[in-house]
Amino acid sequence: MSTNHNRIKVADLETNKSNQILITNEKGELEFNDVNNLQTEKYNALDCTTEGKALDARQGKVLKDMIDNVSQDEFITKTSKSFFHMFYIGDIDMVDVDDKSYLKFEEGMTGLKSLNIQDSKNLYHGRDFILKNGSLTNVTIFHNLGSGNFKFNIPGANNLVLKPEESAHFVMRAINNTNNGGLIDYIGISATVDATPSVKGTLKLAGDLEGSADFPTVKGLSGKLTAVIATDSETQITQTVSEDNKMVSRSKLLNWWTWIKSQAQTISGPWNFTNKVTLAAGNTTTPSLFIPNGTLTSTLQNGAIERDSSGKLFTTRNNARYRLLEDDGSIISLLVNLPPNVNTYTPSAITNTTTTVIGNIPLGTIPSIFVGRIGMYYSTYWTESGSGNILPTSIKVEYYLRVTNGSFDGYIWGTVPQGVDYLIYSNDFLNTTTHLSTFTKNASATIFSKRNGSGQNGNYNGIGIQESFKNIRTPDNSNNQDVINCSFQIVEKITHTYADSTNSAGKNVAVNVNVSTDAFFIEKIR
C-alpha cells in the first residue's frame, strides 16, 4: 500500500458530514463513505452451514412464517398438542379435537359418536386420526351419529367396536363448506398401532392409491400391489417346502381344492356332516365302505355301527347293542317273528273248519337254500253252548304255510295234491285235555329250502317241512319258482268234527273255541 494515502487528513475530519464511515477502497486507500451505501454479504442463512454466518432480519422473518404454517398433525407424538386423553363416562355425543390427531379412550368411556373440529388449519382432506382404546372394556365408535360437525363413516353403516388396546385409523373428508362439516372415514384397525415420539409424520393415503366407492379420498389397493403367483404344481404339494412368500390366486385355490378332493386322505379328527353322504359304487377291487376290525365302545352310542376284534358287526339303538345278521352260520337268526294273535270262533254243532290268516311273510324273507326251524307257542280252551249232549269227536288246531304268489306242487315224495296249503303242525286238543280246561302247547318243526337239486322226479325248487318236500310253482304253473321270489302267509285252521256231521238228530253240543297264538317264528340255522 502506498504510504502517500494511508493517513487521514485533518481537513477530511473537519468536513462536518454525518453518517460517514471509513472504508478501504479497491486500492487499499482509506476514505469516507456514506453508511447507507454499505453492502452486505449475500447468502441464504436458512440453508448455510458455514460457521460464523449471521441471520439477517429478512431471513428471520421467512423462518418465522415457515414455523407458523407447519400443520399441527405432521408430528404424531405424545405431546400436549397431538395426544388427547378422553376422560368421559358412558357414550359421548362429541369431543372437541381441533389440534389433536391421536385420541385415547380412558376408563369409563364406552362410546364416541362424533368430533367437533373448528380450527381451519385442521380442516383439510386427508387429515389422519388415530383412536386407541386404552380402557379395559370394549368401546363403540358410532356410525353417522352425534352433534359434532364431523361424524364417523363406517362401511356397511355398522358401528365399530374397539377391543382393549386396539387402534382405529380414520381420515377426514371435509364435504360441507357452510359449517366446516364432513365425515371421518374408517380405514382400518390394528391391535398394535400407537403414537410414540419416534414416529414422525402421518400417512396421507389420498392420491396414492386407486379409488374406492366408500371412501372417495382414500383409494383402494387394487393395481398397486404386486406379487409372484404360485403355480398349480407349487400349490398341489404333498410334502413340506420352504417358505417362498408367493401368493395363491382364486383360480389356483379352486384348482387346489379340485385336486385335493381327488387325493387319498387320512382324517385324524372327527368330522360332522349336516347333509347326506353318498358313497361311490364299489367295484371288484374297492368296496364302497370299509370298517376295520376294532374294539367295541364301552359307552353305547345310538346309531353306531362297529366291528369287534373278530370282525363281527354290531349296531346300537335305544341304548342297546345288537349284532348284525350274518350268513356264516355263527348265529341263529329270526326270519319271521309274528306278533301275538287271539282268535275266538263262533259256536258250532256241526262238522266245520274255520280258516284265519295270522301273519304275512314278505317276498324275499325265506332264502333259496337254508335250514331252519319253525317254532310256535299257543293255548286253547273251549266251552259248551246249547242244549245237546253229544260232544264232537275231535277239535283240531292246525297251522299251514300258504304261497300267495304261486302254488305248491304235489309232493316229490308224498301224496299231497297241487295247490293246497302246506301243513306245518296239527293237534287234536279235545283228546288231550279235560273238558273246560285250558290247553297249552309248544311245538316246532324243521323247515328247509333247496334250489335246482336233482330228485327222483327231476329238478326242484321248494320247501321241505319235517320229512316231506314240495316244489313251488309259478302263478301260471309253467315252471318251478325260486323260494326267494315267493311271499307266504301263516294260516290257522280250527276244525270241529262230529259223528253226526250235520247234527241231523239235534243232539250235538255246540262248542265255542278260543285259540291264542302267543308266538310264531321261523329261525335260520344256516
Side-chain angles (χ1 to χ4, degrees):
M1 182 178 65
S2 174
T3 58
N4 296 326
H5 300 90
N6 62 354
R7 293 184 297 278
I8 302 174
K9 297 178 182 180
V10 175
D12 293 333
L13 297 173
E14 294 175 350
T15 58
N16 199 27
K17 293 182 179 180
S18 62
N19 297 325
Q20 297 293 302
I21 188 170
L22 282 173
I23 64 173
T24 303
N25 63 18
E26 64 272 6
K27 296 180 181 180
E29 300 170 344
L30 291 172
E31 62 182 15
F32 285 98
N33 199 347
D34 194 303
V35 71
N36 292 324
N37 295 329
L38 179 64
Q39 295 183 358
T40 62
E41 182 180 1
K42 295 182 178 180
Y43 64 90
N44 184 1
L46 298 179
D47 196 34
C48 180
T49 59
T50 304
E51 184 179 359
K53 297 295 183 180
L55 179 72
D56 65 21
R58 179 187 60 80
Q59 294 169 336
K61 178 64 168 61
V62 172
L63 177 60
K64 180 178 182 302
D65 291 342
M66 291 175 63
I67 294 175
D68 290 342
N69 290 327
V70 172
S71 173
Q72 293 296 328
D73 73 334
E74 291 190 7
F75 299 94
I76 299 182
T77 62
K78 289 184 178 179
T79 66
S80 60
K81 294 291 289 180
S82 64
F83 190 86
F84 183 63
H85 289 272
M86 291 186 283
F87 292 95
Y88 297 93
I89 302 296
D91 294 342
I92 304 305
D93 179 74
M94 71 175 184
V95 172
D96 297 320
V97 290
D98 281 347
D99 59 351
K100 307 298 188 296
S101 56
Y102 186 89
L103 315 178
K104 185 175 181 180
F105 299 95
E106 300 295 343
E107 289 301 324
M109 189 169 186
T110 59
L112 177 63
K113 298 179 180 179
S114 64
L115 298 179
N116 184 36
I117 307 172
Q118 299 295 336
D119 190 345
S120 60
K121 286 190 275 186
N122 294 293
L123 296 174
Y124 58 86
H125 284 292
R127 172 181 167 85
D128 292 282
F129 290 91
I130 302 296
L131 276 68
K132 180 175 182 178
N133 181 9
S135 70
L136 298 178
T137 58
N138 291 345
V139 174
T140 301
I141 308 298
F142 292 93
H143 170 78
N144 198 28
L145 290 179
S147 59
N149 61 336
F150 278 88
K151 298 176 176 58
F152 296 102
N153 178 39
I154 303 170
N158 297 314
N159 297 332
L160 174 68
V161 177
L162 281 180
K163 298 177 182 178
E165 297 304 313
E166 280 188 336
S167 298
H169 181 194
F170 291 85
V171 172
M172 177 183 289
R173 174 161 40 117
I175 59 175
N176 190 329
N177 296 326
T178 301
N179 63 354
N180 292 329
L183 297 173
I184 302 178
D185 295 322
Y186 170 65
I187 303 303
I189 197 167
S190 171
T192 58
V193 171
D194 199 354
T196 65
S198 63
V199 178
K200 289 189 175 183
T202 57
L203 175 63
K204 298 295 190 298
L205 294 178
D208 292 340
L209 306 172
E210 192 173 346
S212 165
D214 290 331
F215 305 119
T217 62
V218 180
K219 299 183 177 181
L221 297 177
S222 176
K224 298 299 181 181
L225 298 180
T226 59
V228 178
I229 298 179
T231 64
D232 285 333
S233 62
E234 289 173 327
T235 57
Q236 298 171 15
I237 55 178
T238 58
Q239 58 187 5
T240 304
V241 296
S242 58
E243 180 58 63
D244 54 15
N245 296 316
K246 292 185 178 181
M247 183 174 66
V248 178
S249 66
R250 289 189 298 170
S251 64
K252 300 304 179 187
L253 181 61
L254 177 61
N255 293 344
W256 172 85
W257 177 239
T258 303
W259 168 79
I260 201 68
K261 290 187 295 182
S262 67
Q263 305 301 301
Q265 304 292 336
T266 299
I267 308 301
S268 59
W271 282 27
N272 295 319
F273 296 92
T274 58
N275 207 328
K276 69 176 183 179
V277 176
T278 301
L279 302 177
N283 53 47
T284 57
T285 59
T286 305
S288 293
L289 179 65
F290 178 78
I291 302 177
N293 295 356
T295 303
L296 299 180
T297 55
S298 56
T299 301
L300 297 179
Q301 301 178 51
N302 289 329
I305 298 177
E306 305 171 88
R307 191 183 293 274
D308 66 10
S309 58
S310 64
K312 303 298 183 182
L313 279 170
F314 294 83
T315 185
T316 300
R317 66 179 185 275
N318 298 326
N319 298 315
R321 177 178 285 137
Y322 302 93
R323 183 170 165 183
L324 296 180
L325 295 180
E326 295 178 333
D327 226 1
D328 61 354
S330 61
I331 60 173
I332 296 177
S333 58
L334 277 177
L335 297 181
V336 178
N337 186 15
L338 300 183
N341 183 278
V342 177
N343 291 312
T344 300
Y345 297 97
T346 303
S348 175
I350 62 174
T351 298
N352 179 53
T353 298
T354 306
T355 301
T356 304
V357 175
I358 65 171
N360 294 285
I361 302 176
L363 184 146
T365 301
I366 300 180
S368 300
I369 301 175
F370 95 110
V371 175
R373 183 173 68 94
I374 299 175
M376 66 195 77
Y377 177 84
Y378 70 95
S379 60
T380 64
Y381 70 89
W382 58 275
T383 57
E384 297 179 11
S385 177
S387 58
N389 57 10
I390 299 177
L391 293 174
T393 59
S394 172
I395 303 177
K396 284 185 179 181
V397 57
E398 297 173 309
Y399 292 90
Y400 290 84
L401 182 66
R402 175 181 293 174
V403 185
T404 58
N405 63 340
S407 61
F408 283 113
D409 196 357
Y411 283 101
I412 289 179
W413 52 90
T415 59
V416 179
Q418 176 181 327
V420 300
D421 296 333
Y422 198 165
L423 179 62
I424 299 172
Y425 173 80
S426 175
N427 186 69
D428 184 352
F429 61 88
L430 176 65
N431 296 331
T432 57
T433 186
T434 304
H435 182 43
L436 298 179
S437 68
T438 298
F439 171 75
T440 301
K441 181 72 173 179
N442 292 314
S444 66
T446 301
I447 183 172
F448 60 94
S449 64
K450 288 186 177 182
R451 179 175 59 188
N452 294 329
S454 179
Q456 67 185 51
N457 293 328
N459 293 339
Y460 55 85
N461 295 287
I463 287 180
I465 298 177
Q466 296 295 82
E467 298 177 356
S468 61
F469 184 89
K470 292 179 68 176
N471 281 332
I472 299 177
R473 304 290 288 174
T474 57
D476 61 0
N477 199 27
S478 63
N479 203 349
N480 288 343
Q481 184 171 200
D482 197 336
V483 177
I484 195 71
N485 297 323
C486 297
S487 55
F488 301 89
Q489 290 178 337
I490 302 300
V491 178
E492 175 188 275
K493 295 183 180 182
I494 299 296
T495 302
H496 307 73
T497 303
Y498 289 87
D500 183 359
S501 62
T502 62
N503 196 19
S504 59
K507 296 183 179 181
N508 291 348
V509 176
V511 176
N512 182 25
V513 177
N514 179 284
V515 179
S516 175
T517 306
D518 300 304
F520 187 100
F521 56 88
I522 299 177
E523 294 177 317
K524 178 185 176 183
I525 298 175
R526 67 173 183 270

